[in-house]
Amino acid sequence: MTEIKIETEFIKLDALLKFANLVSSGGEAKIRIAEGEVLVNGEICTMRGKKLRSGDMVELDGAKVCIK
């Protein structure tokens, strides 16, 4: 599991996927989220603008990222 520290109140899901190098582009993030491939806190999330805060867990293709 990778830990990502953010300095702001939140980060949007699509931006996190790019920042954590789980996807290669914003377009790929949009498609993968829309197709229900991304889990947020163990549940499928199809909202690419979902605000993630400290303590949230994101998973894609078995890779897990925790927000700190």
Side-chain angles (χ1 to χ4, degrees):
M1 174 176 38
T2 304
E3 290 185 358
I4 300 286
K5 184 174 182 183
I6 59 172
E7 302 295 329
T8 56
E9 180 185 348
F10 64 86
I11 186 171
K12 291 186 179 179
L13 179 57
D14 58 349
L16 174 76
L17 293 178
K18 290 189 298 184
F19 184 73
N21 293 318
L22 296 179
V23 296
S24 58
S25 68
E28 181 184 352
K30 179 180 176 181
I31 292 168
R32 307 276 312 260
I33 294 167
E35 291 182 354
E37 297 179 27
V38 180
L39 300 177
V40 175
N41 298 324
E43 297 182 10
I44 293 172
C45 180
T46 57
M47 301 181 315
R48 81 172 194 228
K50 175 150 179 74
K51 295 177 181 177
L52 303 170
R53 293 177 167 80
S54 181
D56 284 336
M57 175 87 62
V58 175
E59 185 174 351
L60 176 64
D61 293 337
K64 296 181 181 181
V65 176
C66 182
I67 313 294
K68 293 290 177 187

